[in-house]
């Protein structure tokens, strides 16, 4: 039996290897367009981020090793260009010689996969535009990031790969914006309310997300500078196109193969409509395991299973591929996401009588260190009570939750089948009643009428109109809501009529359910529990202008909104600028935001951050969304690196360095790159262009001052009675002593004003550099910083010292103290010694991964 396989990544190599194990006599030939086979396509984003360090780690097998291991004949750099199903031949072009080669077969397996879909927009050919499909894509992107020192990226596409790339770019300290034409992230993967939570989470973690937005053009001269979108122009140095894939089936267009939108239709045996021709992997259309309807599921997992099943079929075994569930899992910054089965919309479209629930549960014993949560959405059929789908968000093992659902759906399980499943339990791993079973119990309660609830989707659509919100949290946390202490409810609640429409909300949902149970017993007839509670939903209560709770004031302060104490609900929003430097388009966006969501007034802070004045609490999120569309963000508060401030730099007559360029680099590397790094207190950085001290670099936690160190050539001094150098020195450090010019370097501030003033060339040469001050502060307690002994002559040295200072403050500072206090406690000489050596950088990973300073000391 001659079996020809087209394609050498997942499905093709799996089919070939398994077939040779099933039937050693089979003549199996594999041809592939690439020089590589069996590469780890799903690992490419992690190579970009540096998690996978070596290119070789992406290659699962070389052609030579694979052929020796399996007995399969492998030809690389062969592109299939024609199929003659009657003659049973495939024509392929040898990409090394350019010649056509003909391969015959008894059975043909098409596993040609898919390629990145490149949107038809202007500028996709520019340097700095990448797709993410092959090892060469990832290798080229990582090299470009390093070579160009990229600081800003735009990812076009909010699917699995796009979000994984965004996370890895962010981990490299790059500012990332994700745009998607769809109205939500992960379309057809998550339901809108679950995708909405993911979007909010990404934004809180420093990744801008703009949905419902189309990329219109990529701009730049030779290399990328901006992306023009339907929501505005986004500056960037790299663009990642991750807007989907298309099957590599163009060469099959006139062959008679039955296809749909480029995918090859197959039956349960993975057969096509043509005799002895099969298709597997990303080029094949299989079926949905639940509905039987055709479904394209281009995933590495299903590709491998399809290849294996087909190999057994070709070897004569009775095998059938049952279809896919669209199972997937993705790692995001501080959040994992898993899903399987039908979405709510797909289940309704398929004709099921759908019921859903959104449940927030512990992911392990709540008292165990590192415990967190799962947000689980279950979709089931009301009549049969059959599980149809699951979507899970959380910081931990969402894959195990998803896999339980996969098993249940595949076995046709109904909800009650999960009730007493004996899942593994120990505090480090799970809860006594497994979190998946807890979610099932909540859905069973809802179906049985024991729980009357409102879904997050219903709440977002306005179904809570007319309901009075009851806060059932352990402490009051919902502005404008009536707080009820659950433990004290032993009868009717004073002030609440039993016919009132009451929406019960707690932090995660359990206390609200308990209160509903009691109130129904006491005769309350219109109580509804909000699923997902305040943990998942953005709960707003009361008329505009109502007082904001202290908890909410703290929360939105972390977003850059400072409470105006003269009001009950208004804030000043800090818009982060590049040292006060904004484009005309960004300025228009800020002005529009001030008019739409604030008082229309804009102020500049002392640190050159724009503040939009008088933003009502209810306008906080709309304002952030408006600014995000222009590539802007709010922030700059908390115990973190603060936005950088600098003087005019080279536009000042005394300027010695380009302060704008340096401050922007510091901003990108440390304000953005260290966005999630908690410190003992705030850490302010100032860049001064000269020793005139305009931005008070010595009154910041760290200051950088431009230097011009004069190089005196004493042998050229003529001992003039009137020394031009002495006259030029503004601080009178240059002096004539015994007929010779002397400059006391210990007192010289390196302003450079003396350079070139001597007519006899005694002072023509100089060295440009940077002086670094540490330990300054102003405010309640003023302290002048002290400069390090070295004058640094390269920008990279300065950036390294800044990073070391931040790392030292995080590692050795005490929560609540300023950097000046840390230096005083440790001693300046001890701190300087560490900043001038490399130990802090060597300990960086361990330092940043430590759970430290989770509650810092910054108060403004």
């Amino acid at each position: 039996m001659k079996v020809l396989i087209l394609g050498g990544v997942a499905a093709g190599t799996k089919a070939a290897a398994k077939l040779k194990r099933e039937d050693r006599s089979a003549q199996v030939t594999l041809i592939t367009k690439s020089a590589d086979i069996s590469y780890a396509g799903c690992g490419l984003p992690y190579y970009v981020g540096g998690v996978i360090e070596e290119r070789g780690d992406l290659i699962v097998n070389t052609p030579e090793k694979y052929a020796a291991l399996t007995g399969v004949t492998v030809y690389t750099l062969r592109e299939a260009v024609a199929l003659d199903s009657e003659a049973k031949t495939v024509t392929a072009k040898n990409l090394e010689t350019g010649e056509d080669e003909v391969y015959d077969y008894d059975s043909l397996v098409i596993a040609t996969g898919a390629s990145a879909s490149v949107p038809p927009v202007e500028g996709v050919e520019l340097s700095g535009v990448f797709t993410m499909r092959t090892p060469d894509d990832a290798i080229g992107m990582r090299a470009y990031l390093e070579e160009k020192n990229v600081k800003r990226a735009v990812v076009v596409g909010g699917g699995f790969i796009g979000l994984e790339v965004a996370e890895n770019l962010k981990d490299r300290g790059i500012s990332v914006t994700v745009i998607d034409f769809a109205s939500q992230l992960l379309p057809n993967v998550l339901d809108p309310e679950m995708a909405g939570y993911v979007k909010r989470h990404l934004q809180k973690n420093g990744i801008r997300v703009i949905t419902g937005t189309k990329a219109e053009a990529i701009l730049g001269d030779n290399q990328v500078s901006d992306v023009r979108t339907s929501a505005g122009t986004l500056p960037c140095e790299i663009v990642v196109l991750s807007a989907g894939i298309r099957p590599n089936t163009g060469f099959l267009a006139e062959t008679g193969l039955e296809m749909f939108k480029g995918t090859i239709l197959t039956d349960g045996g993975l057969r096509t409509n043509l005799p002895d021709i099969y298709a597997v992997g990303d080029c094949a259309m299989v079926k949905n395991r639940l509905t039987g309807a055709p479904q394209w599921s281009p995933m590495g997992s299903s590709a491998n299973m399809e290849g294996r099943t087909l190999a057994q079929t070709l070897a004569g075994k009775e095998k059938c591929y049952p279809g896919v569930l669209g199972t997937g899992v993705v790692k995001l910054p501080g959040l994992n996401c898993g899903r399987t089965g039908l979405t709510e919309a797909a289940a309704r479209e398929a004709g099921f009588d759908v019921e859903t629930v959104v449940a927030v549960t512990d992911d392990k014993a709540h008292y165990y260190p590192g415990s967190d949560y799962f947000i689980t959405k279950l979709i089931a059929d009301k009549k049969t009570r059959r599980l149809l789908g699951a979507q899970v968000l959380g910081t931990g093992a969402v894959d195990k939750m998803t896999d339980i659902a996969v098993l249940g759906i595949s076995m046709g399980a109904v909800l009650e089948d999960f009730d007493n499943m004996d899942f593994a339990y120990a505090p480090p791993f799970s809860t006594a009643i497994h979190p998946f079973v807890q979610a099932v119990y909540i859905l069973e309660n809802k179906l049985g009428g024991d729980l009357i609830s409102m879904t997050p989707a219903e709440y977002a659509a306005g179904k809570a109109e007319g309901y009075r919100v009851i806060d059932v949290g352990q402490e009051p946390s919902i502005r404008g809501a009536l707080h009820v202490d659950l433990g004290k409810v032993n009868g009717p609640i004073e002030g609440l009529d039993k016919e009132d429409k009451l929406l019960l909300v707690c932090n995660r949902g359990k206390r609200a359910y308990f209160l509903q149970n009691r109130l129904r017993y006491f005769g309350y007839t219109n109580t509804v529990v909000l699923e997902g509670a305040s943990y998942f939903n953005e709960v707003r209560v009361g008329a505009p202008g109502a007082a904001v709770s202290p908890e909410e004031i703290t929360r939105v302060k972390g977003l850059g909104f400072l409470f105006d104490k003269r009001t009950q609900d208004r804030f000043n929003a800090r818009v982060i600028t590049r040292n006060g430097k904004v484009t005309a388009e960004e300025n228009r966006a800020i002005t529009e935001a001030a008019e739409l969501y604030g008082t229309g007034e804009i102020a500049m802070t002392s640190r050159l951050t724009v503040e939009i004045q008088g933003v009502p609490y209810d306008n906080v999120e709309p304002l952030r969304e408006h600014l995000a569309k222009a590539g802007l963000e709010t922030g700059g508060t908390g115990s973190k690196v603060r936005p950088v401030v600098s003087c005019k730099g080279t536009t000042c007559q005394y300027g010695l360095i380009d302060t704008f360029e340096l401050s922007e680099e510091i901003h990108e590397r440390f304000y953005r790159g260290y966005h999630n790094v908690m410190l003992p207190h705030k850490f302010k950085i100032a860049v001064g262009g000269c020793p005139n001290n305009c931005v008070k670099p010595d009154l910041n936690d760290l200051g950088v001052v431009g230097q011009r160190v004069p190089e005196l050539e004493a042998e050229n001094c003529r001992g003039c009675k009137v020394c031009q150098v002495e006259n030029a020195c503004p601080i009178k450090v240059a002096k004539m002593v015994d007929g010779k010019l002397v400059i006391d370097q210990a007192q010289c501030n390196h302003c450079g004003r003396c350079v070139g003033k001597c007519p006899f060339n005694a002072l023509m040469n100089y060295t440009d550099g940077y002086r670094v001050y540490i330990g300054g502060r102003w405010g309640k307690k003023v302290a002048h910083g002290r400069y390090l002994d070295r004058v640094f002559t390269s920008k990279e040295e300065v950036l390294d010292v800044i990073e070391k200072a931040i790392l030292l403050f995080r590692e050795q500072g005490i929560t609540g103290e300023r950097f000046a206090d840390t230096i005083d406690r440790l001693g300046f000489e001890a701190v300087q010694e560490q900043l001038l050596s490399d130990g802090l950088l060597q300990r960086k990973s361990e330092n940043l991964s430590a759970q430290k300073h989770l509650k810092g000391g910054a108060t403004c």
Side-chain angles (χ1 to χ4, degrees), residues 12-41:
T13 53
K14 176 60 73 175
K18 180 62 176 174
L19 179 55
K20 285 295 288 184
R21 292 196 297 273
E22 292 285 332
D23 182 358
R24 196 68 188 170
S25 69
Q27 298 178 44
V28 182
T29 301
L30 184 150
I31 68 173
T32 181
K33 181 180 177 181
S34 172
D36 297 312
I37 68 165
S38 194
Y39 58 79

